[in-house]
Amino acid sequence: METKPSEISSSKMFGGYNKRYKHFSPTLGCSMTFYIYFPPSPSPSHKFPVLYWLSGLTCTDENFIAKSGAQRVASTEGIVLIAPDTSPRGLNVEGEADSWDFGVGAGFYLNATQEKWKNWRMYDYVVKELPKLLSENFPQLETSKASIFGHSMGGHGALTIYLKNLDKYKVSVSAFSPVANPINCPWGQKAFTNYLGPSKADWEEYDATSLVSKAHDVSATILIDQGDEDKFLHDQLLPNKFEEACRSANVPVLMRLQPGYDHSYFFIATFIDDHIHHHAHALKL
Amino acid sequence: METKPSEISSSKMFGGYNKRYKHFSPTLGCSMTFYIYFPPSPSPSHKFPVLYWLSGLTCTDENFIAKSGAQRVASTEGIVLIAPDTSPRGLNVEGEADSWDFGVGAGFYLNATQEKWKNWRMYDYVVKELPKLLSENFPQLETSKASIFGHSMGGHGALTIYLKNLDKYKVSVSAFSPVANPINCPWGQKAFTNYLGPSKADWEEYDATSLVSKAHDVSATILIDQGDEDKFLHDQLLPNKFEEACRSANVPVLMRLQPGYDHSYFFIATFIDDHIHHHAHALKL
């Protein structure tokens, strides 16, 4: 099985290209797809900084590319967008597709420790395998300059990956409507129980609110947009818990509550330019 | 069955709202959905001009709203977007879903004359029923100021509806990758044979290239964008036939061949702002 990515589609947009690739992932034990948006290049030897987008529950690598409109400003800012899928696919683990909020499409960007879900290692896939694969196969990417953002489950994934890798290469982080404190909400409790087992100490290793309260040396402001008519706000997302933890730990956070907006890509598309600018500013320092 | 539209969803975007409605259509004999994008309103009594978008084969009322990014500039220009569905649904006509390019999702914006497809009256639905319904139910719309555009089958629908109603209310027209001369391409020949019967004279009543060659008093420039890597360009779309007919009939046309672009919404999203500005300019004269 081929671990080297092969191009499966290419569409021009805003002067650049949305390209979709397929490869076999040794980390996950299955074939995976991801999208790269390449902005127009000023020269053949130009290298672009990269911005990872992590999607939410039920999404694939396609939703962000089709619906966010991020490519417009990524083109003018000269930033590459990377959109991975949200879980392993095609493994036929019993019950993997029984719930929309668990299993397929619901990797939660962690490394599962429970035998049944041993292939669910989206943390290692996003943090280790994918950057290495990109670095080895796409010379036009400056993979050492990388920032990360995402939506809902993926917004949380972005926050945790950033907070767990402050000493490494991640430059800046932002999130739309993140599942900000999963150990205290039904989506998170269901996923973490199944993937990580019953110990809450293990859960805290993948909880953004727990992680930020122990964070040191977060100097770049964390940008979060949240719609105040998001139907998941009060039961599942709990951004106020994350904001409180940031304040206690003296971590700079800009939490913007956007009146009237819901949890959809319509909300994301409205504010995506601000997030791209936020990351472009950090990546170009 | 209720002909008055009822709201079935509402999502804020770029300060305005994407609202989806459902109603029973007497013209088509089935329940239909459509989207309206309302930009932010400067006052409760403000009336907006309207811009109809007609989608292509296989699309519903949702594709344009989810993928085009048109709402951003519609908001700043103060224009309402209307996105109807592409055919009757749920009638269970034998064979209606056997082909992706005929039947359900493939109304071709004409009035079928053949008994089997008697409900396929998308021309009357878009030209008569929908404007009346909008005028009667949405006081914030200035439905007498209306322009029209679309993509592929819908780009062709926009051109034909405009050319057949020059004496009425349509202000301007534009199209992305229109099926510009359907009587001379496989998609059109299949649809027109089934919907309209064997007479080519009847087909010409719904063929943009035939219509424009007989047009009088087209003063506003027709804007067309076409990707030169569109895989349907040479067999199905034939924009050169339409352009030639425009030149012969002295109809002003701006045909832009966009290098590297394909037939997708990635292409549409790239140039949608230009089209919105084109219509805004005409609607505000």
Side-chain angles (χ1 to χ4, degrees):
Chain A
M1 284 179 284
E2 186 56 85
T3 57
K4 201 174 161 67
S6 61
E7 184 182 310
I8 53 177
S9 75
S10 175
S11 283
K12 195 171 180 183
M13 189 181 196
F14 293 110
Y17 284 88
N18 294 303
K19 289 181 181 279
R20 195 181 201 187
Y21 298 90
K22 186 176 183 173
H23 72 117
F24 179 78
S25 163
T27 305
L28 306 174
C30 64
S31 181
M32 294 289 284
T33 54
F34 62 88
Y35 264 100
I36 306 183
Y37 176 71
F38 295 97
S41 191
S43 79
S45 61
H46 184 81
K47 283 176 172 283
F48 296 99
V50 303
L51 177 54
Y52 292 88
W53 171 266
L54 303 183
S55 281
L57 290 167
T58 78
C59 287
T60 68
D61 54 320
E62 207 154 19
N63 304 63
F64 174 73
I65 293 296
K67 297 181 175 181
S68 71
Q71 296 93 335
R72 195 173 56 88
V73 173
S75 267
T76 57
E77 289 284 9
I79 287 174
V80 156
L81 303 169
I82 312 284
D85 202 349
T86 54
S87 79
R89 306 259 170 194
L91 291 166
N92 297 317
V93 175
E94 190 206 338
E96 67 175 15
D98 288 358
S99 314
W100 68 271
D101 58 359
F102 177 74
V104 169
F108 273 86
Y109 306 100
L110 51 72
N111 290 335
T113 55
Q114 304 303 292
E115 179 59 21
K116 182 175 178 183
W117 303 102
K118 62 177 185 282
N119 291 81
W120 265 248
R121 299 181 62 79
M122 287 299 292
Y123 180 83
D124 275 0
Y125 178 71
V126 169
V127 174
K128 296 175 185 169
E129 181 175 339
L130 199 51
K132 185 161 178 286
L133 174 149
L134 296 172
S135 165
E136 289 172 354
N137 292 281
F138 299 96
Q140 62 273 58
L141 308 189
E142 191 175 3
T143 49
S144 59
K145 274 198 180 174
S147 289
I148 192 162
F149 67 158
H151 174 231
S152 196
M153 173 185 78
H156 180 256
L159 293 172
T160 55
I161 285 171
Y162 179 77
L163 292 167
K164 287 164 85 74
N165 294 278
L166 287 168
D167 55 334
K168 284 197 206 159
Y169 56 89
K170 295 288 182 295
V171 174
S172 53
V173 67
S174 74
F176 291 88
S177 354
V179 185
N181 185 200
I183 65 176
N184 287 317
C185 81
W187 285 341
Q189 288 163 349
K190 179 176 178 177
F192 286 12
T193 302
N194 281 286
Y195 293 139
L196 302 173
S199 165
K200 294 224 172 180
D202 295 338
W203 296 11
E204 289 176 1
E205 290 303 307
Y206 292 106
D207 181 87
T209 297
S210 305
L211 289 168
V212 85
S213 64
K214 289 175 250 166
H216 301 288
D217 303 321
V218 181
S219 54
T221 299
I222 298 172
L223 170 64
I224 296 180
D225 272 313
Q226 172 65 55
D228 79 351
E229 294 203 7
D230 184 328
K231 66 180 176 182
F232 302 117
L233 174 56
H234 301 294
D235 291 340
Q236 302 281 9
L237 306 179
L238 317 177
N240 55 320
K241 296 292 180 193
F242 182 76
E243 194 177 15
E244 282 165 22
C246 286
R247 305 272 177 236
S248 299
N250 211 23
V251 169
V253 62
L254 176 57
M255 179 80 66
R256 309 195 305 186
L257 198 64
Q258 302 288 5
Y261 286 90
D262 64 18
H263 199 68
S264 69
Y265 267 88
F266 298 131
F267 163 58
I268 295 170
T270 304
F271 299 103
I272 195 76
D273 291 6
D274 293 352
H275 286 244
I276 305 276
H277 290 308
H278 170 80
H279 293 292
H281 177 75
L283 285 164
K284 289 171 179 175
L285 281 180
Chain B
M1 284 179 284
E2 185 58 83
T3 56
K4 201 174 161 66
S6 60
E7 184 182 310
I8 53 177
S9 75
S10 175
S11 282
K12 195 170 180 183
M13 189 182 197
F14 293 110
Y17 284 88
N18 294 303
K19 287 179 182 279
R20 195 180 201 187
Y21 298 90
K22 187 177 184 175
H23 71 118
F24 179 80
S25 163
T27 305
L28 306 174
C30 64
S31 180
M32 293 290 282
T33 53
F34 61 88
Y35 265 100
I36 306 183
Y37 176 71
F38 295 98
S41 191
S43 78
S45 61
H46 184 80
K47 283 175 172 285
F48 295 100
V50 302
L51 177 54
Y52 292 88
W53 172 266
L54 304 183
S55 282
L57 290 167
T58 77
C59 288
T60 68
D61 54 320
E62 208 155 18
N63 305 62
F64 175 73
I65 293 296
K67 296 181 175 180
S68 72
Q71 297 93 336
R72 195 173 56 89
V73 173
S75 267
T76 57
E77 288 284 9
I79 287 175
V80 157
L81 303 170
I82 312 283
D85 203 349
T86 55
S87 79
R89 306 258 171 194
L91 291 166
N92 297 317
V93 175
E94 190 206 338
E96 68 176 15
D98 287 357
S99 314
W100 68 272
D101 59 359
F102 178 72
V104 169
F108 273 85
Y109 307 99
L110 51 73
N111 290 335
T113 56
Q114 304 304 291
E115 179 59 23
K116 182 175 178 183
W117 303 102
K118 63 177 185 285
N119 291 82
W120 265 248
R121 299 181 64 79
M122 286 300 292
Y123 180 83
D124 275 359
Y125 178 71
V126 169
V127 174
K128 296 174 185 171
E129 182 177 336
L130 199 51
K132 186 162 178 286
L133 174 148
L134 295 172
S135 166
E136 290 172 354
N137 291 281
F138 299 96
Q140 62 274 58
L141 308 189
E142 191 176 2
T143 49
S144 60
K145 274 199 179 172
S147 289
I148 192 162
F149 67 157
H151 174 230
S152 196
M153 173 185 78
H156 180 256
L159 292 172
T160 56
I161 286 171
Y162 178 77
L163 292 166
K164 287 164 85 75
N165 293 278
L166 287 167
D167 55 335
K168 283 197 207 157
Y169 57 91
K170 294 288 181 295
V171 175
S172 54
V173 68
S174 74
F176 291 88
S177 357
V179 185
N181 187 200
I183 66 176
N184 287 318
C185 81
W187 285 340
Q189 289 164 349
K190 178 176 181 178
F192 287 12
T193 302
N194 282 286
Y195 294 139
L196 301 173
S199 166
K200 293 224 172 181
D202 295 338
W203 296 10
E204 289 176 0
E205 290 303 306
Y206 292 107
D207 180 89
T209 297
S210 305
L211 289 167
V212 85
S213 64
K214 290 174 251 166
H216 302 288
D217 303 321
V218 181
S219 54
T221 298
I222 298 172
L223 170 64
I224 295 180
D225 272 312
Q226 172 65 55
D228 79 352
E229 294 203 7
D230 184 328
K231 66 180 176 182
F232 303 117
L233 173 56
H234 301 295
D235 292 339
Q236 302 280 10
L237 305 179
L238 316 175
N240 55 320
K241 296 291 181 194
F242 182 76
E243 193 176 16
E244 282 165 22
C246 285
R247 305 272 177 236
S248 300
N250 212 22
V251 169
V253 62
L254 177 57
M255 179 80 68
R256 308 195 306 186
L257 198 64
Q258 302 288 5
Y261 286 90
D262 64 18
H263 200 67
S264 69
Y265 267 89
F266 297 133
F267 163 59
I268 296 170
T270 304
F271 300 103
I272 195 76
D273 290 6
D274 292 352
H275 286 244
I276 305 276
H277 290 308
H278 170 80
H279 293 291
H281 177 75
L283 286 164
K284 290 173 180 176
L285 282 179

